[in-house]
Amino acid sequence: MSPEVRNHHTPRIFVAATRQDDGKTTTSLGLFAALQKRFSRIGYIKPVGQRFVEVEGVKVDEDTVLMNDTYGVRTPLRAMSPIAVEPDFTRRFLKNRNVADLHQRVREAFDEAAWEKDFVIIEGTGHAGVGSVFELSNAQVAKLLGAQVVIVSQGGIGRPIDEIAMNLALFEKFGVKVIGAIINKIVPEKADLIPYVREGLERMGLPLLGTIPLHQELRSPTLEQICHQLKGEFLAGADHRRRPVGKVVIGAMSSYQVEKYLGEQSLLITSGDREDMILTAAQIYRSEKRGLLAGVVLVDGILPSSGVLRFLCQADLPYIACACDSYTAASQINRMTVKTESADREKISLIQRLVEENVDVDRLISAGQENLGA
């Protein structure tokens, strides 16, 4: 263990990934619940965060807020998210070269996050090398905190093995042990490829610690997330802002044909002056086929007439207005990275179940306890 680490007794595991959005937070979220079944007090820290929100005047990584809101970690947020990489962070570092100060902040934050805890999850950011420019790459942080690593990657054969190999090289350079890999987002029809992935990893000396199947529910954005992405506003139905969207349909057809294009929980995109389409959507929603529609997005910055607007205000169907055109709206929605939020209780429950059922949690625990005298 690194001589710079102060806390030598609390078991810990570092959750890394081959790239951003491969599933570090999903794994950490599910692993926390699994560990709670085995220990009384679980800690969490994300030493370096790239996407942050402001909480009581302090910049905190958004994944840290999710973990705290979900589990009530009982650690100050500043200790769970000691370094938020703001837009000018790298420039300031290169000017001042305050390496010792950054390392000290990470060490002290970990000591606080691990205080009176039975096990600590350390979540990385991006791939193994992210943060190298200010000497806090995932590999360097894992070394600094004396943690062994599990690497999360996405489904496939060639890509995950190639990318895990690249990440493994950097961890090995810093003398950090990688205990295995978890393959996330496995498409059900490609589950038969898992033995090949296992064999490829074993040739690198890495065990396959888990295979998490892809669930469309985890990729579905909510109406609220879509509204934020489009910089729009709810004209009606805001009470249903947490409703997930399963399919996006551009209403370029005639209104009497729209129904045949809809699927479960569809989001209909149409112009605000297509009052025929707007009213048809409301009629479908009021029928026994209401499950076909999650909501409607009105584009081009065009609002319906005052009479239709009054009707919308009385409707239960969510209507969102935005300034962009239909193509831009659909493209932005399809390109969205859907992050799990603390209000997504069903998603979180699904994640917890998937990790418990598909990841070798006990092997992770053993690795976290290794060389700590636990």
Side-chain angles (χ1 to χ4, degrees):
M1 181 177 293
S2 167
E4 295 185 87
V5 177
R6 296 180 181 181
N7 183 316
H8 293 263
H9 60 275
T10 306
R12 66 207 69 176
I13 198 75
F14 191 104
V15 180
T18 50
R19 62 173 69 190
Q20 194 172 28
D21 301 319
D22 271 358
K24 293 183 302 298
T25 301
T26 295
T27 301
S28 298
L29 198 62
L31 184 58
F32 198 108
L35 289 170
Q36 280 187 321
K37 296 178 180 179
R38 296 159 171 86
F39 301 100
S40 298
R41 300 162 299 182
I42 310 303
Y44 169 89
I45 180 173
K46 186 166 184 178
V48 179
Q50 299 183 80
R51 294 187 290 210
F52 56 86
V53 294
E54 201 162 298
V55 181
E56 297 179 356
V58 179
K59 292 181 175 62
V60 180
D61 183 83
E62 62 183 12
D63 294 328
T64 300
V65 176
L66 168 64
M67 297 293 288
N68 193 59
D69 287 349
T70 302
Y71 295 111
V73 184
R74 296 184 180 179
T75 299
L77 285 172
R78 55 174 172 72
M80 289 193 286
S81 179
I83 296 177
V85 182
E86 303 174 65
D88 64 341
F89 184 92
T90 302
R91 288 195 297 269
R92 286 190 284 112
F93 170 80
L94 293 174
K95 182 178 180 180
N96 299 317
R97 296 282 179 178
N98 55 334
V99 177
D101 175 60
L102 292 180
H103 285 196
Q104 181 72 5
R105 283 166 60 185
V106 170
R107 287 195 302 270
E108 290 180 352
F110 178 81
D111 284 342
E112 191 168 0
W115 177 254
E116 295 187 335
K117 299 296 191 299
D118 300 313
F119 203 102
V120 178
I121 299 168
I122 307 167
E123 183 180 341
T125 182
H127 56 71
V130 169
S132 295
V133 66
F134 42 82
E135 299 190 33
L136 278 178
S137 70
N138 286 252
Q140 288 168 299
V141 172
K143 175 70 173 179
L144 191 67
L145 300 181
Q148 300 196 51
V149 173
V150 58
I151 299 179
V152 181
S153 187
Q154 287 198 38
I157 300 179
R159 173 187 155 179
I161 292 174
D162 291 347
E163 294 188 350
I164 288 170
M166 287 193 298
N167 282 264
L168 180 62
L170 189 59
F171 284 115
E172 289 179 339
K173 175 184 176 180
F174 284 94
V176 175
K177 183 177 179 180
V178 177
I179 58 135
I182 295 171
I183 307 300
N184 185 36
K185 303 178 184 178
I186 295 178
V187 180
E189 53 267 29
K190 294 187 177 181
D192 58 340
L193 300 179
I194 292 173
Y196 299 101
V197 178
R198 179 178 286 106
E199 181 181 347
L201 291 172
E202 287 176 351
R203 292 178 66 181
M204 292 192 291
L206 290 182
L208 180 60
L209 299 178
T211 55
I212 303 176
L214 174 68
H215 276 256
Q216 188 59 43
E217 302 96 299
L218 301 180
R219 304 178 67 185
S220 299
T222 64
L223 290 171
E224 183 174 35
Q225 290 172 324
I226 288 172
C227 185
H228 178 75
Q229 178 75 18
L230 300 180
K231 298 180 174 60
E233 62 174 329
F234 279 91
L235 297 179
D239 290 345
H240 302 295
R241 62 179 64 244
R242 302 304 308 174
R243 179 179 291 164
V245 171
K247 180 182 180 181
V248 176
V249 176
I250 296 179
M253 70 293 291
S254 60
S255 57
Y256 69 87
Q257 289 185 315
V258 65
E259 186 179 312
K260 68 180 182 181
Y261 292 95
L262 300 178
E264 188 70 19
Q265 295 291 74
S266 292
L267 180 71
L268 178 64
I269 299 176
T270 188
S271 177
D273 58 2
R274 284 292 307 272
E275 296 188 355
D276 60 328
M277 190 72 71
I278 294 169
L279 296 175
T280 296
Q283 289 171 0
I284 294 171
Y285 191 72
R286 287 178 168 179
S287 72
E288 69 280 0
K289 299 177 181 179
R290 66 179 289 142
L292 293 177
L293 271 173
V296 178
V297 172
L298 305 180
V299 295
D300 298 321
I302 301 173
L303 295 180
S305 64
S306 56
V308 173
L309 274 175
R310 284 194 297 272
F311 168 79
L312 295 186
C313 290
Q314 298 170 357
D316 193 37
L317 176 62
Y319 286 84
I320 297 170
C322 68
C324 58
D325 59 61
S326 297
Y327 175 79
T328 301
S331 298
Q332 287 192 20
I333 294 168
N334 287 328
R335 290 198 304 264
M336 284 178 65
T337 297
V338 180
K339 300 287 287 183
T340 302
E341 299 175 343
S342 56
D344 297 331
R345 306 313 304 172
E346 292 184 4
K347 282 187 180 182
I348 292 172
S349 294
L350 175 58
I351 288 168
Q352 292 168 339
R353 178 173 61 80
L354 288 173
V355 170
E356 180 68 50
E357 293 177 355
N358 296 285
V359 175
D360 191 343
V361 176
D362 292 326
R363 191 164 184 175
L364 287 177
I365 292 172
S366 297
Q369 294 172 329
E370 191 174 316
N371 298 326
L372 290 168

